[in-house]
Amino acid sequence: GSLAEAFEAANEGTTVTYNPTGSGSGITAVSEGRCDIGLSSRSLKEEEKSQGLQETVLAYDGIAIIVNPENPVTDLSLDQIAKIYNDAEIVLIGREAGSGTRDGFESITGTEEACKYRQELTSTGDVITTVSQNPDAIGYASLAALKDTVKAVSVDGVTASEATVKDGTYKVQRPFVLVTKEGTELS
């Protein structure tokens, strides 16, 4: 929002329309020519690149693995996280299909098609609220969205922070990219 306003102020006569949806729909809109730039919180897949889509990495985001503050667990290995998300004893909270956060989380932990979610929620805020209300729940959420109602566990001994995402030591992270189509002029 504020980025769009600043751009319009600096470029007289331009209008920026921003429609916040999941990563999948932004990518589809660019590929079908319905918008100039799509925002995605995951990398483009090979088949998307073969359709002429290009990505420009804007930033990297850590995906924090969150538990209820009453939970005594403070650290999990990637392997343990994968096992948890393949096991229904613990209450698994995740995002809906098409979410970049879910896509990033599942590809890093190797749990695509295997996660047995108890609840699939359509926003980061809902994931945080749900985990904060259930001592048996585990979820994942963008690092920037964390609140003190939940506790982020370290992964393989590394705490999720701006610094560890930047230097690559925190493994559960994904890029924020601008998606454009090759050979297509921006309107």
Side-chain angles (χ1 to χ4, degrees), residues 18 21-59 100 175-187:
Y18 172 56
T21 54
S23 298
S25 49
I27 294 167
T28 305
V30 175
S31 117
E32 292 175 356
R34 285 182 288 115
C35 75
D36 288 326
I37 302 172
L39 299 178
S40 172
S41 59
R42 67 164 172 81
S43 294
L44 289 176
K45 296 174 175 161
E46 283 314 310
E47 70 246 32
E48 291 163 342
K49 289 180 181 170
S50 70
Q51 294 162 13
L53 295 182
Q54 291 176 312
E55 66 184 23
T56 305
V57 177
L58 201 61
F176 283 164
V177 301
L178 298 179
V179 181
T180 48
K181 196 162 188 179
E182 221 173 326
T184 306
E185 291 267 325
L186 299 182
S187 60

Side-chain angles (χ1 to χ4, degrees), residues 7-168:
F7 184 83
E8 288 174 358
N11 299 270
E12 212 177 313
T14 60
T15 315
V16 177
T17 315
Y18 172 56
N19 179 14
T21 54
S23 298
S25 49
I27 294 167
T28 305
V30 175
S31 117
E32 292 175 356
R34 285 182 288 115
C35 75
D36 288 326
I37 302 172
L39 299 178
S40 172
S41 59
R42 67 164 172 81
S43 294
L44 289 176
K45 296 174 175 161
E46 283 314 310
E47 70 246 32
E48 291 163 342
K49 289 180 181 170
S50 70
Q51 294 162 13
L53 295 182
Q54 291 176 312
E55 66 184 23
T56 305
V57 177
L58 201 61
Y60 288 93
D61 175 45
I63 300 173
I65 311 302
I66 55 173
V67 295
N68 185 282
E70 286 175 38
N71 191 322
V73 174
T74 56
D75 179 73
L76 291 167
S77 67
L78 263 186
D79 191 45
Q80 286 171 316
I81 295 164
K83 287 191 173 117
I84 288 169
Y85 268 83
N86 286 326
D87 169 27
E89 288 306 297
I90 296 164
V91 179
L92 307 177
I93 309 298
R95 288 286 306 279
E96 80 286 5
S99 150
T101 317
R102 171 169 170 167
D103 191 276
F105 171 81
E106 291 184 359
S107 58
I108 293 157
T109 56
T111 55
E112 297 101 323
E113 311 300 321
C115 282
K116 300 178 170 67
Y117 294 109
R118 181 83 56 90
Q119 277 178 284
E120 296 185 13
L121 303 168
T122 55
S123 80
T124 296
D126 290 346
V127 171
I128 291 171
T129 302
T130 304
V131 172
S132 75
Q133 291 166 352
N134 187 337
D136 298 324
I138 186 168
Y140 48 81
S142 176
L143 185 52
L146 290 194
K147 295 189 171 83
D148 52 18
T149 53
V150 291
K151 179 173 82 174
V153 299
S154 51
V155 176
D156 289 325
V158 182
T159 308
S161 72
E162 216 171 287
T164 59
V165 168
K166 208 169 166 182
D167 70 20

